Amino acid sequence: ETGVTQSPTHLIKTRGQQVTLRCSSQSGHNTVSWYQQALGQGPQFIFQYYREEENGRGNFPPRFSGLQFPNYSSELNVNALELDDSALYLCASSFGAGTANTEAFFGQGTRLTVV
Amino acid sequence: GESVGLHLPTLSVQEGDNSIINCAYSNSASDYFIWYKQESGKGPQFIIDIRSNMDKRQGQRVTVLLNKTVKHLSLQIAATQPGDSAVYFCAENIGAGSYQLTFGKGTKLSVIP
């Protein structure tokens, strides 16, 4: 196990609703990155939080937003859910942003289904 | 993001044989590369990494080769075991350690006992 915990593990939402996903980072880590993994594809980078600030964002619309707390846990919020948002959402915990020699550990993911 | 199909490339190998999984990366400015293993229902698991100033790196039963000229990575698994069955992804990064990764198309490895 990696020490990165995501909740909930599974979630079903209706199109147009809002969802909040949570990630507890590994002890000692201060950076959390979020990824979206559609079925049969590789993960796609959504954004990264370092010391409570957004530190890079992928090609996702503003309805994808995030937050990092003083204990370095993080939330991913998605507004106005669309059917294509159905995916496995992964968070990865690491130490530092732009520094070398540390490994990122992934959580088990949250499976979101939008109906 | 990249457009990929729903059908992953598949590699079937006999238990005990060596496996080679290939990956083409997209950005010539990428300077850090990672191979991940993802089992069903789990998040990606780090296998091995390599920086752009290296051509080869070896781990326990695994070797990664980097060819920057043709933007190609390969993962070699020696003496493949049933527990190696999973989907394997290569990932590239600009800024080693920043972990804002671009993942490639996965390859599904099936080990035949």
Side-chain angles (χ1 to χ4, degrees), chain B residues 50-57 64-68:
Chain B
I50 188 168
R51 300 186 191 283
S52 59
N53 61 353
M54 303 172 70
D55 297 322
K56 178 179 179 179
R57 189 164 189 225
V64 55
L65 299 177
L66 174 62
N67 185 331
K68 295 181 287 293

Side-chain angles (χ1 to χ4, degrees), chain A residues 51-104:
Chain A
R51 292 185 175 179
E52 303 178 59
E53 299 282 335
E54 187 178 289
N55 182 56
R57 187 180 182 95
N59 188 26
F60 280 82
R63 59 189 185 85
F64 285 78
S65 63
L67 201 58
Q68 188 177 32
F69 299 98
N71 67 353
Y72 303 125
S73 65
S74 178
E75 287 183 354
L76 164 65
N77 298 291
V78 187
N79 293 323
L81 283 166
E82 302 176 359
L83 297 179
D84 284 350
D85 295 333
S86 295
L88 181 68
Y89 288 85
L90 296 160
C91 78
S93 161
S94 59
F95 178 78
T99 59
N101 301 320
T102 63
E103 183 181 327

Side-chain angles (χ1 to χ4, degrees), chain A residues 35 37 41 48 55 99 102-103, chain B residues 4 38 97-101:
Chain A
Y35 291 82
Q37 186 176 24
Q41 300 185 23
Q48 182 181 81
N55 182 56
T99 59
T102 63
E103 183 181 327
Chain B
V4 296
Q38 188 173 27
S98 67
Y99 289 103
Q100 298 182 17
L101 302 170

Side-chain angles (χ1 to χ4, degrees), chain A residues 12-58:
Chain A
I12 300 175
K13 287 285 191 178
T14 303
R15 189 172 50 183
Q17 284 188 314
Q18 179 266 343
V19 68
T20 298
L21 310 181
R22 296 178 175 81
C23 173
S24 294
S25 57
Q26 182 162 304
S27 177
H29 285 182
N30 56 12
T31 303
V32 172
S33 305
W34 286 92
Y35 291 82
Q36 180 195 66
Q37 186 176 24
L39 191 63
Q41 300 185 23
Q44 291 199 20
F45 176 71
I46 303 175
F47 44 56
Q48 182 181 81
Y49 278 83
Y50 170 61
R51 292 185 175 179
E52 303 178 59
E53 299 282 335
E54 187 178 289
N55 182 56
R57 187 180 182 95

